Amino acid sequence: MSDIAVISGSSNAPLSYLLSRQLKVDLTPAEIRKFPDNEKYVRIDGDVSNKNVVILQSMAFRPDEYLIESLLLASAAKDAGAKSVTLAAAYFPYARQDERFKPGEPVSVSVVAQLLTAAGVDNLVTVDVHRHRVLDFASIFKGKWIDVSVMPYLVSYGKKSGLIDNDTFIVGPDSEAIQWAKIAAESAGLSNYGALRKKRFGDTEVTVSGELNLEGKKVFIVDDIISTGSTIIEASKAIKEMGGKLVGVACAHGLFVNEALYKLYREGISEVYSSDTVPNQTTRVSSAEALSKGVLEILK
Ligand code: R5P
């Protein structure tokens, strides 16, 4: 009998189910609801004593709510005698506020990491977490942390669907995205990859430029997050200026806020897909296998 118990947060039940299948266990039921005043109530409805509890949560769109829920579930699991608590955070919130950009701001990602530890989270498994300035989560999270990538799955889907072939150039839209372009390209045995340069002026204002030799090449963009779509739209213009032909775009986390998908389509960027960390109409691949590998690795 497995000593793993998977509990689904309320954010992404389908992914929780797929993760439990990958880990070959049934989901441990949990009651999660709101009190009439909107506060959260959680109760683990199964025996988790001496188990390695895995809580799946995907904290997009309602990060505060899902965060509190995860803290309550982690604490309840520990109180119920769990051997360990692993938070499988398919989408990890507040990762983009990883620096005090202006005086008076908090380093939000560190605050979140401290809260998780305080509530009893021993281990953290994330998916392509936004790592721009905090390159190593171990520096801000006390427990064990593994970041898995869905880039190989995204590229494999791109190959199967004919968007990517052996000559395709994989591009990350900003210098930090070189890490995803590298994983994506190497997993598919492609040798051509690189990154552009982005300057951000506000939530939606960015400029993208670059000096890659893309003349006459098919180009495929990979990134961790598509939020407003501005990054991808500006990257597509830069690629065109460099003589490349954009054949598709894939991201781990498709947030697509403020009609981003419509804006991308309107720019002629129609081949866009993402993983199921944040389920949306472009979801084509699952992060369940990558997450399960991360969980098994961390529990070794
Ligand atoms: C940040 O730099 C990330 O890697 C993404 O490029 C960014 O979050 C995308 O945001 P948006 O779609 O709003 O440009």
Side-chain angles (χ1 to χ4, degrees), residues 96 130 132 173-174 180 198 200 203 206 223-232:
R96 287 185 283 179
H130 185 82
H132 282 200
D174 50 36
W180 293 294
K198 177 167 81 182
R200 186 172 279 287
D203 291 348
V206 298
D223 204 0
D224 56 343
I225 301 170
I226 299 179
S227 181
T228 64
S230 303
T231 299
I232 299 300

Side-chain angles (χ1 to χ4, degrees), residues 215-229:
E215 191 58 50
K217 296 195 176 126
K218 285 175 280 183
V219 179
F220 190 93
I221 300 178
V222 290
D223 204 0
D224 56 343
I225 301 170
I226 299 179
S227 181
T228 64

